[in-house]
Amino acid sequence: MSASILPLTLENVSYASNGQPIISNISLSIDAEPSTIILGANGAGKSVLMRLMHGLLTPTAGRVRWNESDGASLRRRQAMVFQRPVMLRRSALANVVYALAVAGVGGDEREAQALAALDEVGLRHLARRPARVLSGGEQQRLALARAWALHPEVLFLDEPTANLDPGAVREIETVIKAFDAAGTKIVMATHNLAQARRLGDEVIYLQAGRVMERAPIEQFFACPATAEAAAFMKGESPWV
Amino acid sequence: MGAIAEGLWRVLELDRELWHIVVLSLEVSFSAVLIATALGLPLGALLAVKRFAGRRTAIVLLNALMGLPPVVVGLLIYLLLSRAGPLGELGLLFTPGAMIIAQSVLVLPIIAALARQALEDAWREYEEQLRSLGARELEAAFTLIWDARFSLVTAVLAGLGRAAAEVGAVMIVGGNIDGVTRVMTTAIALETSKGDLPLALGLGFVLIAIVLAVSAAAQLVKEAAQRRYG
């Protein structure tokens, strides 16, 4: 087991589905320090790029490489929160316990760790409630707790607040910031500029499956280097 | 109507012989469904989750096996269990054990195929999440079974319906021996051929009532659980 699974390196990664190119020849390196925002319009390939990084998809060309060769250890040390979290048909607590069990945490430690994770996202009082009857915001926080319980080094977030009301968005962002502060590397896809500014240190701007630009967050918003990024921000701004 | 009433009355009179038939029927069919469920749900789940060469052929085959003719299954089990057959030494032919085996074989493809369909739909929803958490195929399969348990009730009920209703297989491997292997369906067939239509009808109604009661109970449990767990 290596000290860190980062950096994550993509070498000329492409992905096509049914002959349609979705990701085209992306090479980049993700390092431990800054939280990374993958920014882009719907259909730019953000979700697919994250799935390629997380290992849910295999690139049709190129290589995704971590600083860790043991597959099981690699899986255990990264987590992903999806836009629409899938809750198992059991209690909120049991959902977190399940993730710990799959990751190989011993039986007598699971419940305590799961409760601690629920505490972290402010859901302890709903621990015994069936997960599927929780509200959208609560379910997303539970998904964060489920990911957090494993103390991953890298946490991928795929538009985690896309379907939520402003109050729930604030709660989710607070939790994400706490994870960031605790030293977890955040990689988040979003098309929301304000959210990108609130949570990110650097931006990878994606358009039509290509990386157009990568820059520190302030620099990106102050003066985007590409016309495409500038146009995207202009178009996106009215809804922020 | 008179015949129906008479038949029902004779069944409900608690005639010991008749009750023995009813109880044996339930024992055989429920045991067969239990065995077929224990084997069929994991089989269906693995077919839903695992990707391997020949998977599509396996699914087509399994779906086709749902239509196995009971008499053919009965015949095959008969050959296996007959004194000269490979399993003849077990001495199971013409015992309830043989009937349970035959019905398990009949019901297994039904439960496995219907479970495969239901779990494949669930897998579409769960796949990324479970793979992201690091669940292996076998773990994922059992997670799916537990999470889709409400939809699987229907698959098991379909299996029970098949077991309770079939006559060909139990007739051949059980032999319809009075007091030993006579069940409701074989008794109905026999009484009909003997001309005792009221008794045949009475048994028929008991059979339908039992299947209906089980189905209703399962539906109620399913609805209550679904309300609770979402």
Side-chain angles (χ1 to χ4, degrees), chain A residues 52-63:
Chain A
L52 287 165
M53 291 175 172
H54 188 43
L56 292 177
L57 293 175
T58 311
T60 35
R63 249 156 66 92

Side-chain angles (χ1 to χ4, degrees), chain B residues 123-144:
Chain B
W123 185 232
R124 259 190 282 280
E125 184 190 347
Y126 282 67
E127 179 177 4
E128 285 197 324
Q129 184 71 65
L130 293 186
R131 281 180 55 210
S132 171
L133 290 174
R136 278 167 289 271
E137 278 165 343
L138 200 62
E139 269 172 319
F142 281 101
T143 305
L144 278 191

Side-chain angles (χ1 to χ4, degrees), chain A residues 53-55 79-80 162 196 228 234:
Chain A
M53 291 175 172
H54 188 43
M80 182 154 171
E228 287 88 350
K234 207 164 168 232

